Amino acid sequence: MAVQARGKFTRAQIVRAAAAMFDNRGYDGASLSDVVDEAGITKGALYFHFKSKSELASVVIDAQRRISMAALDQIVEEHEISPIGQIVMMSQELGRQIRWEPIVRAGIRLTLELSATSGPQEPYDDWLERCTELLGAAERIGQLVPGIDHARTARFVIGAYTGVQLVSNVYTGRTDLEGRIDDMWAIVLPSFLPEDQHDTIPSLISCRWRPSTGESLLSDDFLDQSS
Amino acid sequence: MAVQARGKFTRAQIVRAAAAMFDNRGYDGASLSDVVDEAGITKGALYFHFKSKSELASVVIDAQRRISMAALDQIVEEHEISPIGQIVMMSQELGRQIRWEPIVRAGIRLTLELSATSGPQEPYDDWLERCTELLGAAERIGQLVPGIDHARTARFVIGAYTGVQLVSNVYTGRTDLEGRIDDMWAIVLPSFLPEDQHDTIPSLISCRWRPSTGESLLSDDFLDQSS
């Protein structure tokens, strides 16, 4: 058990060090020997856990996806919040994570570097699926103008968020991201909500998720799970 | 003169070959010897014109910016088109270029690879500036709901377009980009236009630019200009 716990600790330490490195230098700029230095471990320990830079990148992308999905899954359970409010929460929570969580930042950077050409779809699928479902739920309770194509509209939301995030990074290093996501919803929500609910737009824009559980998503246990 | 013309031709050939290579493999995956093979020239000829991969990347990014800006500049001169119609035209023209022009695709890919962390602002500045001005012009003629912040709204438009383009690439290799830009405007324009002009939205969404000049933007002369 002590050995297992130490292994788990070392593995989590490596993942965190690798994330910091990918976050700062991207995939091509990163090297395994920097991870060794950064994590304060031996090369042997690194290779015991991970065979290559590409494996380490997959683990970081996977950890990022699980961190982001765990938040999305919990937001869907906030039953007192309306579907459109939950979509706003999701966008702001993903924005918060990308600004403040190095593992998330690294995972998104690795994903973006691949997306510049034809990257993996999976990182977008998670949010796309939930957003499509929530638009359906919104229509069922009369919170969405009828006749809007849920899947295509969700594609727009995911795309718009991704680009707003990217441009915020280019101009301000994401320091203004929360406000830019507010701007996005101020422009988009009037097209979603029936006319007679437009007075709810300000409170919808201000929706933020505050996790009710005390458990950190970034524990060694969490990072130790395999995909 | 003959020597000069040949130099110009070789230079343009190198830029086109480099663009094809950056488009397919990105900055880190590209190598100068592949450019030599692709352009069908000697290493000496390449190094006579360009000192390094990084210089070649700058030239491609610069050519892409000039191609895109030339279109934006000409669209602003389409005086019979309303300001909002011109913004729609710009987004669709940039979408057309990124889908069909290898130099543009390469320039955007190189820009995106840099933007994944903190990239250069200039590629976004061009369109941002024009979009901000056009929103001002739209407000002056009553085509924009009063009280909208032009610069922040332009930031949203640029970000949303960038992300829509990126997600379209991930899911369909940009084959559906034109339709996804249509979706974007169907969602965004109702917030821009005063209520009594909402019947003009379908014709605004269908705005496309068809260059009136017969001169190709991608001539050897055009590629030969330095920044």
Side-chain angles (χ1 to χ4, degrees):
Chain A
M1 268 314 282
V3 171
Q4 261 190 37
R6 199 163 60 232
K8 193 181 283 188
F9 175 75
T10 305
R11 199 182 144 91
Q13 224 176 352
I14 294 170
V15 173
R16 287 197 173 88
M21 185 193 62
F22 287 129
D23 178 26
N24 290 323
R25 305 200 203 149
Y27 184 78
D28 288 296
S31 83
L32 285 186
S33 45
D34 292 332
V35 179
V36 167
D37 293 346
E38 174 86 17
I41 52 163
T42 63
K43 258 207 158 105
L46 175 65
Y47 284 105
F48 175 77
H49 290 282
F50 301 101
K51 275 188 292 293
S52 63
K53 184 163 82 165
S54 121
E55 188 187 343
L56 211 38
S58 304
V59 169
V60 169
I61 290 178
D62 178 64
Q64 175 258 311
R65 279 191 66 193
R66 285 184 302 116
I67 292 166
S68 298
M69 279 181 69
L72 300 188
D73 286 341
Q74 290 182 50
I75 289 170
V76 175
E77 298 302 315
E78 301 273 345
H79 298 294
E80 75 284 15
I81 308 292
S82 68
I84 299 291
Q86 290 182 5
I87 294 175
V88 173
M89 272 189 176
M90 287 179 177
S91 66
Q92 288 285 4
E93 171 61 15
L94 293 178
R96 188 198 64 74
Q97 288 184 357
I98 202 175
R99 182 158 178 212
W100 298 109
E101 309 283 6
I103 291 179
V104 171
R105 229 164 30 232
I108 302 277
R109 174 167 182 173
L110 291 169
T111 302
L112 261 182
E113 287 182 348
L114 296 167
S115 306
T117 166
S118 58
Q121 303 182 1
E122 297 81 17
Y124 300 96
D125 285 342
D126 304 331
W127 189 21
L128 190 60
E129 212 172 279
R130 275 164 191 78
C131 189
T132 305
E133 285 165 11
L134 285 171
L135 288 170
E139 182 168 351
R140 283 193 296 280
I141 64 161
Q143 202 186 17
L144 187 73
V145 174
I148 288 179
D149 184 303
H150 304 156
R152 269 162 59 191
T153 303
R155 271 275 286 278
F156 168 73
V157 168
I158 273 70
Y161 163 81
T162 301
V164 163
Q165 179 276 103
L166 197 142
V167 171
S168 162
N169 189 31
V170 165
Y171 279 103
T172 71
R174 298 201 186 96
T175 55
D176 76 345
L177 179 54
E178 187 174 358
R180 296 298 74 75
I181 298 174
D182 284 342
D183 291 349
M184 163 175 135
W185 290 118
I187 292 167
V188 168
L189 289 185
S191 290
F192 285 8
L193 291 159
E195 200 69 34
D196 63 350
Q197 292 174 46
H198 279 198
D199 58 331
T200 65
I201 289 177
S203 82
L204 285 170
I205 292 175
S206 70
C207 278
R208 297 291 183 277
W209 183 58
R210 302 275 173 261
S212 45
T213 146
E215 190 201 353
S216 170
L217 292 173
L218 297 171
S219 66
D220 295 352
D221 271 343
F222 187 85
L223 292 180
D224 188 53
Q225 291 164 41
S226 46
S227 44
Chain B
M1 269 312 283
V3 172
Q4 260 190 39
R6 198 162 61 230
K8 194 180 282 188
F9 174 74
T10 306
R11 201 183 141 89
Q13 223 176 353
I14 295 170
V15 173
R16 288 198 173 88
M21 185 193 60
F22 287 128
D23 178 25
N24 289 325
R25 307 203 199 147
Y27 185 78
D28 286 296
S31 84
L32 286 185
S33 44
D34 292 332
V35 179
V36 167
D37 294 347
E38 174 86 18
I41 53 164
T42 64
K43 258 210 158 97
L46 176 66
Y47 284 106
F48 175 78
H49 289 282
F50 301 101
K51 275 188 292 293
S52 63
K53 183 162 82 165
S54 121
E55 188 188 342
L56 210 40
S58 305
V59 169
V60 169
I61 290 178
D62 178 63
Q64 174 259 311
R65 279 191 64 193
R66 285 184 302 116
I67 292 167
S68 299
M69 280 181 68
L72 300 188
D73 286 342
Q74 290 182 49
I75 289 171
V76 175
E77 298 302 316
E78 302 273 346
H79 297 295
E80 75 284 13
I81 307 293
S82 67
I84 299 290
Q86 289 181 7
I87 294 175
V88 173
M89 271 188 178
M90 287 179 176
S91 66
Q92 288 285 5
E93 171 60 15
L94 293 178
R96 189 198 64 74
Q97 288 184 358
I98 202 175
R99 182 157 180 213
W100 299 109
E101 308 284 7
I103 291 178
V104 171
R105 229 163 29 229
I108 301 276
R109 174 167 182 172
L110 291 168
T111 302
L112 261 182
E113 287 182 349
L114 297 165
S115 306
T117 167
S118 57
Q121 302 182 1
E122 298 80 18
Y124 299 95
D125 285 343
D126 304 330
W127 189 22
L128 190 60
E129 215 171 275
R130 275 163 192 78
C131 188
T132 305
E133 286 165 12
L134 285 171
L135 289 170
E139 182 169 351
R140 283 193 296 280
I141 63 161
Q143 203 187 16
L144 187 73
V145 174
I148 287 180
D149 185 303
H150 303 158
R152 270 162 57 191
T153 302
R155 270 276 284 280
F156 167 73
V157 169
I158 273 69
Y161 163 80
T162 301
V164 163
Q165 180 274 102
L166 196 140
V167 171
S168 161
N169 188 32
V170 166
Y171 280 102
T172 71
R174 298 198 186 98
T175 53
D176 75 344
L177 180 54
E178 186 173 359
R180 297 296 76 74
I181 297 174
D182 284 341
D183 290 348
M184 164 176 134
W185 290 119
I187 292 166
V188 167
L189 288 185
S191 290
F192 285 8
L193 290 159
E195 200 67 34
D196 63 349
Q197 291 173 48
H198 278 198
D199 58 331
T200 65
I201 290 177
S203 82
L204 285 170
I205 292 175
S206 69
C207 279
R208 297 290 183 277
W209 183 58
R210 302 274 173 262
S212 46
T213 147
E215 190 199 354
S216 170
L217 291 172
L218 297 171
S219 67
D220 295 352
D221 271 343
F222 188 85
L223 292 180
D224 189 55
Q225 289 164 44
S226 43
S227 46

